[in-house]
Amino acid sequence: MTTDNGSASREPAARDSGGRRSGWLMARPYGIPIYVTPSWLVIAAIITILYEPVVESLLGLGAASYLVAFVFAVLLYASVLVHELAHAVVARMFGIPVERITLFMLGGVTEMRGEARTPGREFLIAFAGPLLSLVLAAAGWAAQLFVPPDTVPGVLLWQLFVANLLVGVFNLMPGLPLDGGKVVRSAVWALTRRPTAGTVVAAWGGRVLAVFVVGLPFLLYLPSGRMPSVFMVLLGVLLGGFMWMGAGSALRGARFRERIPRLRVRLLARRAVAVPSGTPLAEADRRMAEADAGAVLVTDSSGAPVSIVSHDAAGAVPEERRPWISVDHVSRAVTGGAVIGADLEGERLLAAMRAHPAAEYLVVGEDGGVFGVLRTRDVDDAFAGI
């Protein structure tokens, strides 16, 4: 399964955004790092065990049947890798940086920094993977016609055909996070000129497909009156759960992006009251309430702001100690990165905050004068409920 979408290296294993290990670096084709997670070993073992009886019935190799069955597992994930590389190469053609490709138990994912700017590019990036998979499937099918089916080369070519056909057809299912869902999203985007509308339609398509995948093992066995195997039920639940979570993530991402243009520093910034260095916290509270302000700036002897009283640090001071605690003890210095313009909005605002993370920012107007204070928490609250 895909989303967005050499020799082993001794480079340290990759880590995800939370700092957790995400796989072993295996190669860098086209400069794109390829990682394989330990979960792949689990699914490879399962595929080998389940497919070995088929190989044995065709070739009668004895214990060597396990090796041929394992090759099928490798070919399946090699097909996923080629599929993901197709996404990555086309994305790079359109100037979208590719971070990495990761292969895991349920397939692969291509991590990109950025998104397609037009529905046409979205379609080409999404369709490139399934298209290449189907081309390789056709090549494998044509090649196996010229090789006896009861030989190792014949079985391997058949495996190549089946692996790429599975990857290509499955990923064309019309729902996110699959490539077919991205094709649907690009079509709705082109018709409505609203990428969010495309995401909503494709994500709900993905949720419908997720329910179908979970119920598919039972539907297949319904005519016979028998129950599906535990493995088929678990596989359906795993795939369906992955698809449901991927579709939900796409919906949240769409809602997030829809709110970004509404972010405006002038609307989010709090009015600030200035107090001299050394002012007791209780006195700062009084002045802030009197001015109906939402933040406190600490100034030097010339009246220039040098620090911002931390909302969290000040809130942790007990009421009885506030007359005796100076604002200097609960404030953060105003550095160059913690000063932003009042005209920032949308992506520009988020980019400025990502470049210099801080709990509070000093907001200045076009004339350089103090406009107020922006709290990161207020920006986060703008995305509440997503």
Side-chain angles (χ1 to χ4, degrees):
M1 179 182 299
T2 64
T3 63
D4 296 300
N5 288 291
S7 61
S9 169
R10 294 183 181 272
E11 183 171 325
R15 296 182 184 273
D16 61 18
S17 58
R20 297 179 295 272
R21 186 177 296 246
S22 63
W24 302 298
L25 178 65
M26 304 305 293
R28 287 182 178 273
Y30 305 105
I32 301 169
I34 308 296
Y35 292 93
V36 176
T37 68
S39 65
W40 178 82
L41 298 175
V42 177
I43 198 65
I46 293 173
I47 292 173
T48 300
I49 293 171
L50 293 178
Y51 192 61
E52 185 275 336
V54 177
V55 176
E56 177 63 20
S57 66
L58 291 172
L59 302 177
L61 298 176
S65 296
Y66 285 98
L67 177 59
V68 178
F70 177 72
V71 172
F72 173 67
V74 173
L75 283 175
L76 179 60
Y77 275 80
S79 301
V80 172
L81 173 57
V82 171
H83 178 106
E84 295 298 330
L85 277 172
H87 291 310
V89 170
V90 176
R92 277 189 165 186
M93 288 171 54
F94 294 129
I96 302 175
V98 178
E99 293 282 354
R100 72 179 69 185
I101 293 174
T102 303
L103 302 181
F104 59 103
M105 177 180 284
L106 298 179
V109 59
T110 301
E111 299 178 33
M112 307 175 193
R113 276 191 288 120
E115 296 183 335
R117 295 183 178 180
T118 66
R121 292 183 178 184
E122 169 94 347
F123 170 82
L124 291 174
I125 295 172
F127 192 63
L131 177 62
L132 183 56
S133 295
L134 294 177
V135 169
L136 291 176
W141 179 82
Q144 61 89 29
L145 294 177
F146 300 96
V147 179
D150 55 350
T151 63
V152 172
V155 170
L156 292 179
L157 286 172
W158 179 258
Q159 291 173 351
L160 179 67
F161 160 66
V162 172
N164 281 281
L165 185 66
L166 285 173
V167 172
V169 172
F170 183 76
N171 277 281
L172 280 176
M173 295 173 70
L176 289 173
L178 303 177
D179 298 325
K182 295 180 181 179
V183 170
V184 171
R185 180 169 66 184
S186 68
V188 176
W189 179 3
L191 290 172
T192 64
R193 300 186 182 277
R194 293 179 56 226
T196 301
T199 300
V200 170
V201 171
W204 278 105
R207 286 184 166 180
V208 171
L209 285 174
V211 174
F212 173 76
V213 168
V214 172
L216 184 59
F218 299 95
L219 294 175
L220 292 175
Y221 279 82
L222 188 60
S224 65
R226 295 184 293 118
M227 290 293 291
S229 66
V230 174
F231 173 76
M232 290 187 65
V233 173
L234 288 177
L235 183 60
V237 170
L238 279 174
L239 287 175
F242 179 82
M243 292 172 65
W244 184 276
M245 289 188 294
S249 177
L251 280 173
R252 289 190 295 273
R255 297 190 188 110
F256 182 90
R257 289 189 295 273
E258 196 171 41
R259 295 191 187 186
I260 288 177
R262 306 176 194 171
L263 297 177
R264 291 178 173 82
V265 172
R266 291 186 181 276
L267 298 179
L268 293 171
R270 295 169 177 258
R271 181 186 300 174
V273 61
V275 300
S277 175
T279 301
L281 186 56
E283 174 62 14
D285 290 340
R286 187 191 68 77
R287 295 190 190 185
M288 185 169 64
E290 188 177 73
D292 194 24
V296 177
L297 292 174
V298 181
T299 61
D300 59 15
S301 57
S302 67
V306 293
S307 61
I308 303 172
V309 172
S310 167
H311 177 267
D312 293 336
V317 178
E319 194 68 32
E320 64 273 13
R321 296 192 59 199
R322 298 178 85 83
W324 316 107
I325 298 295
S326 166
V327 289
D328 302 271
H329 289 87
V330 290
S331 62
R332 292 189 178 94
V334 176
T335 61
V339 179
I340 60 176
D343 61 332
L344 287 181
E345 57 185 52
E347 288 284 3
R348 292 171 57 221
L349 169 59
L350 294 181
M353 295 176 68
R354 282 193 295 265
H356 301 281
E360 290 95 8
Y361 296 86
L362 176 65
V363 180
V364 296
E366 294 180 358
D367 59 355
V370 174
F371 183 86
V373 170
L374 176 68
R375 290 181 183 163
T376 297
R377 184 174 298 174
D378 291 338
V379 178
D380 293 338
D381 289 344
F383 296 101
I386 292 178

